[in-house]
Amino acid sequence: MSKRALITGGSGGIGAAICKKLAADGLQVIIHTHRNQMKAQALADSISAAGGDATVSAFDVTDAQATALALQDLLEAGPIQILVNNAGIHDDAVFPALSARQWQDVIDVSLNGFFHVTQALLMPMIRTRWGRIINITSVAALTGNRGQVNYSAAKGALHAATKSLALEVASRGITVNAVAPGIIATEMSADAFATDAIAQIVPMKRAGRPEEVADLVGFLVSEQAAYISGQIISINGAMT
Ligand code: NDP
């Protein structure tokens, strides 16, 4: 039977591309959403129509109890061996103007969300002696970005968590990696970067496509990537 893959934030731009890629590669995809259930269901329907296997699961990753209940439910059908922690938000402001709410909200989704989801899935994954965990982070965590102290802190913490967790599970056939995209053409980046700004920031002078990120994730969760773990892999058009 094919392996099950949970993609958090599967209703978003990058998440949807990852769901499509993993489904095309023959995995049973669980499309996670928070508010955009109709979009997630439409994606599941289009994957099914193309012969793939996709279902939808909706919960708020910042809500520990709701996440635990939803995951318990999913685990009743068996372990989930592939997890892509992709749900994330940004809420930018220069640091003196950054509110405590903006700080907390961004850390809550990316970092606390990682904790709530990953911990719940880990023991069943360990028992199978095979697993893949991918954390979608950002170039902002590597280079810094003005107005994104909260966002880069959350994503940078995920880089550190990636490395530590990779060590803990290395002997159990589980790899843990971070994929750090640059500017990718989705709704999230559309409100943050004008086209001429992208030409200035990105040496390749274009935004990346969600499908390009999805192809990288598809490789990292495959059998062929068994020896890649604890890495932060950038995909950013040479932003370095
Ligand atoms: P989108 O805004 O398109 O998608 C964000 C996803 O996160 C949505 O599916 C949303 O669910 C989900 N989400 C937000 N808050 C919560 C929550 N509280 N609980 C559960 N799910 C939640 O973003 P992108 O596709 O552009 O980004 C995906 C990831 O890639 C993010 O982690 C982002 O930080 C990262 N990234 C994006 C870049 C870009 O240029 N686009 C660059 C670098 C990194 P719903 O809509 O259903 O509520």
Side-chain angles (χ1 to χ4, degrees):
M1 210 162 84
S2 63
K3 295 187 168 78
R4 301 167 83 207
L6 173 66
I7 298 91
T8 69
S11 53
I14 293 174
I18 295 171
C19 290
K20 283 187 210 159
K21 168 66 181 161
L22 300 194
D25 288 348
L27 297 168
Q28 291 180 49
V29 165
I30 303 160
I31 305 167
H32 161 264
T33 172
H34 177 212
R35 296 202 170 93
N36 237 323
Q37 292 190 36
M38 276 173 53
K39 206 165 166 183
Q41 192 52 56
L43 176 62
D45 292 345
S46 80
I47 288 174
S48 303
D53 185 332
T55 51
V56 172
S57 176
F59 54 91
D60 179 352
V61 297
T62 70
D63 183 333
Q65 210 182 353
T67 302
L69 282 172
L71 293 177
Q72 205 177 354
D73 207 35
L74 287 172
L75 286 169
E76 268 165 31
I80 294 170
Q81 291 174 290
I82 296 167
L83 168 61
V84 184
N85 286 304
N86 163 77
I89 58 167
H90 71 101
D91 193 347
D92 303 349
V94 288
F95 197 60
L98 191 74
S99 69
R101 183 196 55 76
Q102 285 174 303
W103 173 260
Q104 252 135 25
D105 284 356
V106 168
I107 292 200
D108 233 10
V109 178
S110 278
L111 191 57
N112 296 335
F114 157 85
F115 172 73
H116 296 147
V117 177
T118 310
Q119 197 184 44
L121 299 189
L122 197 62
M123 276 316 295
M125 191 188 288
I126 284 175
R127 285 187 205 106
T128 74
R129 296 291 190 273
W130 195 98
R132 298 282 186 268
I133 298 170
I134 309 285
N135 300 315
I136 306 295
T137 60
S138 170
V139 66
L142 295 167
T143 62
N145 196 18
R146 283 192 205 102
Q148 292 197 318
V149 172
N150 53 351
Y151 183 74
S152 53
K155 298 297 196 180
L158 280 180
H159 286 167
T162 297
K163 289 191 172 287
S164 294
L165 186 56
L167 293 175
E168 287 192 16
V169 297
S171 64
R172 313 294 161 97
I174 298 172
T175 67
V176 188
N177 291 291
V179 166
I183 300 170
I184 307 300
T186 68
E187 278 170 33
M188 181 190 267
S189 59
D191 60 4
F193 298 101
T195 312
D196 52 343
I198 290 174
Q200 278 179 1
I201 300 167
V202 185
M204 286 191 186
K205 302 202 181 303
R206 68 168 177 92
R209 290 181 290 106
E211 293 75 19
E212 291 175 310
V213 178
D215 283 341
L216 173 58
V217 172
F219 175 69
L220 289 172
V221 305
S222 74
E223 210 55 66
Q224 291 95 314
Y227 205 52
I228 303 172
S229 193
Q231 303 305 306
I232 294 146
I233 299 157
S234 290
I235 173 160
N236 61 25
M239 284 172 81
T240 70

